[in-house]
mmCIF file of all heavy atoms in Angstrom:
data_model
loop_
_atom_site.group_PDB
_atom_site.id
_atom_site.type_symbol
_atom_site.label_atom_id
_atom_site.label_comp_id
_atom_site.label_asym_id
_atom_site.label_seq_id
_atom_site.Cartn_x
_atom_site.Cartn_y
_atom_site.Cartn_z
ATOM 1 N N THR A 51 -64.266 -18.863 -32.739
ATOM 2 C CA THR A 51 -63.098 -18.354 -32.072
ATOM 3 C C THR A 51 -62.039 -19.278 -32.053
ATOM 4 O O THR A 51 -60.827 -18.971 -32.275
ATOM 5 C CB THR A 51 -63.515 -17.832 -30.660
ATOM 6 O OG1 THR A 51 -64.439 -16.749 -30.738
ATOM 7 C CG2 THR A 51 -62.241 -17.305 -29.896
ATOM 8 N N ASN A 55 -58.294 -18.840 -33.366
ATOM 9 C CA ASN A 55 -57.091 -18.952 -32.501
ATOM 10 C C ASN A 55 -56.100 -20.031 -33.034
ATOM 11 O O ASN A 55 -54.920 -19.832 -32.942
ATOM 12 C CB ASN A 55 -57.601 -19.480 -31.028
ATOM 13 C CG ASN A 55 -58.176 -18.290 -30.274
ATOM 14 O OD1 ASN A 55 -57.872 -17.116 -30.563
ATOM 15 N ND2 ASN A 55 -59.028 -18.653 -29.331
ATOM 16 N N ASP A 80 -42.010 -22.746 -30.815
ATOM 17 C CA ASP A 80 -42.652 -21.484 -30.341
ATOM 18 C C ASP A 80 -41.985 -20.267 -30.869
ATOM 19 O O ASP A 80 -42.713 -19.241 -31.125
ATOM 20 C CB ASP A 80 -42.494 -21.552 -28.759
ATOM 21 C CG ASP A 80 -43.045 -20.322 -28.126
ATOM 22 O OD1 ASP A 80 -44.227 -20.122 -28.156
ATOM 23 O OD2 ASP A 80 -42.203 -19.457 -27.530
ATOM 24 N N SER A 84 -44.165 -17.623 -32.918
ATOM 25 C CA SER A 84 -44.244 -16.148 -32.411
ATOM 26 C C SER A 84 -43.802 -15.202 -33.494
ATOM 27 O O SER A 84 -44.427 -14.141 -33.650
ATOM 28 C CB SER A 84 -43.351 -16.045 -31.197
ATOM 29 O OG SER A 84 -43.746 -16.891 -30.108
ATOM 30 N N ARG A 87 -46.647 -14.795 -35.893
ATOM 31 C CA ARG A 87 -47.634 -13.886 -35.285
ATOM 32 C C ARG A 87 -47.210 -12.508 -35.419
ATOM 33 O O ARG A 87 -48.008 -11.520 -35.680
ATOM 34 C CB ARG A 87 -47.913 -14.310 -33.935
ATOM 35 C CG ARG A 87 -48.818 -15.555 -33.643
ATOM 36 C CD ARG A 87 -49.457 -15.470 -32.353
ATOM 37 N NE ARG A 87 -48.404 -15.484 -31.320
ATOM 38 C CZ ARG A 87 -47.964 -16.623 -30.701
ATOM 39 N NH1 ARG A 87 -48.443 -17.785 -31.200
ATOM 40 N NH2 ARG A 87 -47.090 -16.642 -29.796
ATOM 41 N N ASN A 88 -45.899 -12.229 -35.167
ATOM 42 C CA ASN A 88 -45.396 -10.880 -35.101
ATOM 43 C C ASN A 88 -45.367 -10.268 -36.446
ATOM 44 O O ASN A 88 -45.617 -9.051 -36.607
ATOM 45 C CB ASN A 88 -44.062 -10.880 -34.473
ATOM 46 C CG ASN A 88 -43.494 -9.525 -34.228
ATOM 47 O OD1 ASN A 88 -42.566 -9.130 -34.876
ATOM 48 N ND2 ASN A 88 -43.977 -8.792 -33.244
ATOM 49 N N PHE A 95 -59.634 -8.237 -31.494
ATOM 50 C CA PHE A 95 -60.463 -9.068 -30.588
ATOM 51 C C PHE A 95 -61.766 -8.204 -30.335
ATOM 52 O O PHE A 95 -61.690 -6.983 -30.351
ATOM 53 C CB PHE A 95 -59.859 -9.344 -29.273
ATOM 54 C CG PHE A 95 -58.439 -10.064 -29.444
ATOM 55 C CD1 PHE A 95 -57.227 -9.381 -29.398
ATOM 56 C CD2 PHE A 95 -58.389 -11.394 -29.690
ATOM 57 C CE1 PHE A 95 -56.042 -10.039 -29.546
ATOM 58 C CE2 PHE A 95 -57.206 -12.105 -29.882
ATOM 59 C CZ PHE A 95 -55.918 -11.244 -29.829
ATOM 60 N N HIS A 99 -58.689 -5.486 -25.919
ATOM 61 C CA HIS A 99 -57.504 -5.879 -25.240
ATOM 62 C C HIS A 99 -56.367 -4.914 -25.395
ATOM 63 O O HIS A 99 -55.245 -5.140 -25.733
ATOM 64 C CB HIS A 99 -57.037 -7.260 -25.718
ATOM 65 C CG HIS A 99 -57.971 -8.302 -25.271
ATOM 66 N ND1 HIS A 99 -58.451 -8.411 -23.993
ATOM 67 C CD2 HIS A 99 -58.513 -9.350 -25.976
ATOM 68 C CE1 HIS A 99 -59.292 -9.506 -23.957
ATOM 69 N NE2 HIS A 99 -59.291 -10.188 -25.111
ATOM 70 N N HIS A 103 -52.464 0.814 -19.096
ATOM 71 C CA HIS A 103 -51.352 1.724 -18.493
ATOM 72 C C HIS A 103 -50.504 2.289 -19.600
ATOM 73 O O HIS A 103 -49.558 3.073 -19.341
ATOM 74 C CB HIS A 103 -50.478 0.819 -17.567
ATOM 75 C CG HIS A 103 -49.809 -0.329 -18.238
ATOM 76 N ND1 HIS A 103 -50.592 -1.471 -18.531
ATOM 77 C CD2 HIS A 103 -48.600 -0.594 -18.735
ATOM 78 C CE1 HIS A 103 -49.840 -2.401 -19.018
ATOM 79 N NE2 HIS A 103 -48.624 -1.872 -19.271
ATOM 80 N N GLU A 108 -48.414 3.977 -27.632
ATOM 81 C CA GLU A 108 -47.625 2.880 -27.057
ATOM 82 C C GLU A 108 -48.289 1.515 -27.243
ATOM 83 O O GLU A 108 -47.681 0.549 -27.608
ATOM 84 C CB GLU A 108 -47.319 3.083 -25.548
ATOM 85 C CG GLU A 108 -46.364 4.178 -25.221
ATOM 86 C CD GLU A 108 -46.362 4.583 -23.804
ATOM 87 O OE1 GLU A 108 -47.317 4.367 -23.053
ATOM 88 O OE2 GLU A 108 -45.343 5.196 -23.368
ATOM 89 N N TRP A 115 -42.159 -4.168 -29.954
ATOM 90 C CA TRP A 115 -41.213 -4.516 -28.834
ATOM 91 C C TRP A 115 -40.845 -5.966 -28.926
ATOM 92 O O TRP A 115 -39.797 -6.283 -28.396
ATOM 93 C CB TRP A 115 -42.076 -4.262 -27.508
ATOM 94 C CG TRP A 115 -42.185 -2.857 -27.138
ATOM 95 C CD1 TRP A 115 -43.147 -1.972 -27.619
ATOM 96 C CD2 TRP A 115 -41.357 -2.091 -26.266
ATOM 97 N NE1 TRP A 115 -42.949 -0.721 -27.070
ATOM 98 C CE2 TRP A 115 -41.922 -0.824 -26.244
ATOM 99 C CE3 TRP A 115 -40.277 -2.425 -25.486
ATOM 100 C CZ2 TRP A 115 -41.344 0.199 -25.448
ATOM 101 C CZ3 TRP A 115 -39.748 -1.386 -24.757
ATOM 102 C CH2 TRP A 115 -40.260 -0.127 -24.678
ATOM 103 N N PHE A 116 -41.620 -6.839 -29.549
ATOM 104 C CA PHE A 116 -41.349 -8.164 -29.541
ATOM 105 C C PHE A 116 -40.777 -8.656 -30.795
ATOM 106 O O PHE A 116 -40.661 -9.886 -31.101
ATOM 107 C CB PHE A 116 -42.649 -9.012 -29.211
ATOM 108 C CG PHE A 116 -43.075 -8.658 -27.794
ATOM 109 C CD1 PHE A 116 -44.059 -7.850 -27.623
ATOM 110 C CD2 PHE A 116 -42.521 -9.340 -26.756
ATOM 111 C CE1 PHE A 116 -44.514 -7.398 -26.284
ATOM 112 C CE2 PHE A 116 -43.002 -8.994 -25.489
ATOM 113 C CZ PHE A 116 -44.028 -8.112 -25.214
ATOM 114 N N THR A 119 -35.394 -8.082 -33.772
ATOM 115 C CA THR A 119 -34.273 -7.117 -33.867
ATOM 116 C C THR A 119 -34.631 -5.764 -33.347
ATOM 117 O O THR A 119 -35.760 -5.407 -33.298
ATOM 118 C CB THR A 119 -33.725 -6.939 -35.297
ATOM 119 O OG1 THR A 119 -34.718 -6.319 -36.010
ATOM 120 C CG2 THR A 119 -33.347 -8.296 -35.917
ATOM 121 N N ASP A 120 -33.592 -4.992 -32.992
ATOM 122 C CA ASP A 120 -33.813 -3.616 -32.541
ATOM 123 C C ASP A 120 -34.391 -2.736 -33.651
ATOM 124 O O ASP A 120 -35.044 -1.665 -33.411
ATOM 125 C CB ASP A 120 -32.571 -3.000 -31.949
ATOM 126 C CG ASP A 120 -32.327 -3.504 -30.531
ATOM 127 O OD1 ASP A 120 -33.326 -3.610 -29.748
ATOM 128 O OD2 ASP A 120 -31.180 -3.677 -30.165
ATOM 129 N N MET B 1 -37.406 -11.047 -29.129
ATOM 130 C CA MET B 1 -37.325 -9.757 -28.355
ATOM 131 C C MET B 1 -35.882 -9.512 -28.001
ATOM 132 O O MET B 1 -35.176 -10.366 -27.557
ATOM 133 C CB MET B 1 -38.177 -9.934 -27.016
ATOM 134 C CG MET B 1 -38.411 -8.596 -26.367
ATOM 135 S SD MET B 1 -39.421 -8.946 -24.883
ATOM 136 C CE MET B 1 -39.751 -7.204 -24.452
ATOM 137 N N THR B 2 -35.537 -8.376 -28.194
ATOM 138 C CA THR B 2 -34.035 -7.955 -27.979
ATOM 139 C C THR B 2 -33.891 -7.623 -26.494
ATOM 140 O O THR B 2 -34.806 -7.226 -25.877
ATOM 141 C CB THR B 2 -33.587 -6.790 -28.851
ATOM 142 O OG1 THR B 2 -34.378 -5.659 -28.462
ATOM 143 C CG2 THR B 2 -33.935 -7.078 -30.359
ATOM 144 N N ALA B 5 -35.168 -4.083 -25.770
ATOM 145 C CA ALA B 5 -36.565 -4.059 -25.550
ATOM 146 C C ALA B 5 -37.060 -4.578 -24.230
ATOM 147 O O ALA B 5 -37.893 -4.101 -23.550
ATOM 148 C CB ALA B 5 -37.243 -4.731 -26.683
ATOM 149 N N ARG B 12 -40.658 -0.455 -17.288
ATOM 150 C CA ARG B 12 -42.043 -0.081 -17.266
ATOM 151 C C ARG B 12 -42.805 -0.909 -16.084
ATOM 152 O O ARG B 12 -43.608 -0.374 -15.350
ATOM 153 C CB ARG B 12 -42.748 -0.282 -18.565
ATOM 154 C CG ARG B 12 -42.405 0.711 -19.583
ATOM 155 C CD ARG B 12 -42.963 0.391 -20.919
ATOM 156 N NE ARG B 12 -42.535 1.287 -21.980
ATOM 157 C CZ ARG B 12 -43.302 2.424 -22.205
ATOM 158 N NH1 ARG B 12 -44.296 2.697 -21.409
ATOM 159 N NH2 ARG B 12 -42.869 3.222 -23.088
ATOM 160 N N ARG B 16 -44.537 0.434 -12.638
ATOM 161 C CA ARG B 16 -45.979 0.292 -12.501
ATOM 162 C C ARG B 16 -46.327 -0.305 -11.173
ATOM 163 O O ARG B 16 -47.358 0.007 -10.571
ATOM 164 C CB ARG B 16 -46.556 -0.561 -13.536
ATOM 165 C CG ARG B 16 -47.215 0.111 -14.683
ATOM 166 C CD ARG B 16 -47.397 -0.836 -15.814
ATOM 167 N NE ARG B 16 -48.404 -1.855 -15.415
ATOM 168 C CZ ARG B 16 -48.443 -3.049 -15.943
ATOM 169 N NH1 ARG B 16 -47.619 -3.359 -16.921
ATOM 170 N NH2 ARG B 16 -49.298 -3.943 -15.530
ATOM 171 N N GLU B 541 -52.607 -8.946 -20.220
ATOM 172 C CA GLU B 541 -51.443 -8.285 -20.714
ATOM 173 C C GLU B 541 -50.468 -9.287 -21.333
ATOM 174 O O GLU B 541 -49.906 -9.060 -22.401
ATOM 175 C CB GLU B 541 -50.763 -7.447 -19.558
ATOM 176 C CG GLU B 541 -49.610 -6.600 -19.988
ATOM 177 C CD GLU B 541 -48.970 -5.734 -18.990
ATOM 178 O OE1 GLU B 541 -49.801 -5.565 -17.961
ATOM 179 O OE2 GLU B 541 -47.836 -5.409 -19.094
ATOM 180 N N TYR B 545 -49.297 -9.854 -25.220
ATOM 181 C CA TYR B 545 -47.954 -9.914 -25.636
ATOM 182 C C TYR B 545 -47.649 -11.156 -26.485
ATOM 183 O O TYR B 545 -47.017 -11.163 -27.483
ATOM 184 C CB TYR B 545 -46.980 -10.081 -24.409
ATOM 185 C CG TYR B 545 -46.835 -8.827 -23.600
ATOM 186 C CD1 TYR B 545 -46.240 -8.816 -22.326
ATOM 187 C CD2 TYR B 545 -47.213 -7.584 -24.070
ATOM 188 C CE1 TYR B 545 -46.093 -7.624 -21.505
ATOM 189 C CE2 TYR B 545 -47.076 -6.434 -23.370
ATOM 190 C CZ TYR B 545 -46.521 -6.430 -22.029
ATOM 191 O OH TYR B 545 -46.380 -5.334 -21.331
ATOM 192 N N ARG B 546 -48.289 -12.305 -26.043
ATOM 193 C CA ARG B 546 -48.169 -13.504 -26.831
ATOM 194 C C ARG B 546 -48.764 -13.314 -28.220
ATOM 195 O O ARG B 546 -48.243 -13.756 -29.227
ATOM 196 C CB ARG B 546 -48.779 -14.726 -26.092
ATOM 197 C CG ARG B 546 -48.123 -15.104 -24.850
ATOM 198 C CD ARG B 546 -46.871 -15.859 -25.107
ATOM 199 N NE ARG B 546 -47.211 -17.310 -25.408
ATOM 200 C CZ ARG B 546 -46.357 -18.131 -26.007
ATOM 201 N NH1 ARG B 546 -45.175 -17.683 -26.512
ATOM 202 N NH2 ARG B 546 -46.783 -19.324 -26.317
ATOM 203 N N VAL B 548 -49.147 -10.683 -29.984
ATOM 204 C CA VAL B 548 -48.417 -9.777 -30.868
ATOM 205 C C VAL B 548 -47.003 -10.307 -31.165
ATOM 206 O O VAL B 548 -46.231 -9.520 -31.717
ATOM 207 C CB VAL B 548 -48.392 -8.366 -30.430
ATOM 208 C CG1 VAL B 548 -49.797 -7.792 -30.292
ATOM 209 C CG2 VAL B 548 -47.666 -8.220 -29.074
ATOM 210 N N ALA B 550 -44.781 -12.274 -28.687
ATOM 211 C CA ALA B 550 -43.794 -12.607 -27.653
ATOM 212 C C ALA B 550 -43.680 -14.164 -27.563
ATOM 213 O O ALA B 550 -44.686 -14.879 -27.652
ATOM 214 C CB ALA B 550 -44.376 -12.100 -26.280
ATOM 215 N N TYR B 552 -42.604 -17.618 -25.577
ATOM 216 C CA TYR B 552 -42.559 -18.281 -24.270
ATOM 217 C C TYR B 552 -41.443 -17.739 -23.451
ATOM 218 O O TYR B 552 -41.573 -17.298 -22.315
ATOM 219 C CB TYR B 552 -42.585 -19.800 -24.410
ATOM 220 C CG TYR B 552 -42.532 -20.626 -23.140
ATOM 221 C CD1 TYR B 552 -43.708 -21.030 -22.534
ATOM 222 C CD2 TYR B 552 -41.314 -20.997 -22.575
ATOM 223 C CE1 TYR B 552 -43.572 -21.785 -21.379
ATOM 224 C CE2 TYR B 552 -41.206 -21.710 -21.412
ATOM 225 C CZ TYR B 552 -42.420 -22.208 -20.811
ATOM 226 O OH TYR B 552 -42.349 -22.885 -19.650
ATOM 227 N N LEU B 642 -57.758 -14.372 -24.020
ATOM 228 C CA LEU B 642 -58.174 -13.371 -24.890
ATOM 229 C C LEU B 642 -59.600 -13.642 -25.375
ATOM 230 O O LEU B 642 -60.403 -12.713 -25.788
ATOM 231 C CB LEU B 642 -57.258 -13.201 -26.127
ATOM 232 C CG LEU B 642 -55.857 -12.768 -25.777
ATOM 233 C CD1 LEU B 642 -54.925 -12.848 -26.919
ATOM 234 C CD2 LEU B 642 -55.875 -11.443 -25.151
ATOM 235 N N SER B 643 -60.028 -14.917 -25.335
ATOM 236 C CA SER B 643 -61.401 -15.256 -25.799
ATOM 237 C C SER B 643 -62.437 -14.877 -24.658
ATOM 238 O O SER B 643 -63.628 -14.869 -24.957
ATOM 239 C CB SER B 643 -61.443 -16.733 -26.155
ATOM 240 O OG SER B 643 -60.507 -17.029 -27.131
#
Side-chain angles (χ1 to χ4, degrees):
Chain A
T51 298
N55 285 337
D80 179 66
S84 299
R87 282 199 298 271
N88 185 255
F95 305 99
H99 292 316
H103 59 279
E108 289 167 338
W115 286 83
F116 296 97
T119 66
D120 279 325
Chain B
M1 189 177 193
T2 64
R12 285 173 182 275
R16 261 169 62 204
E541 183 178 338
Y545 288 166
R546 292 282 281 157
V548 298
Y552 175 90
L642 296 175
S643 302

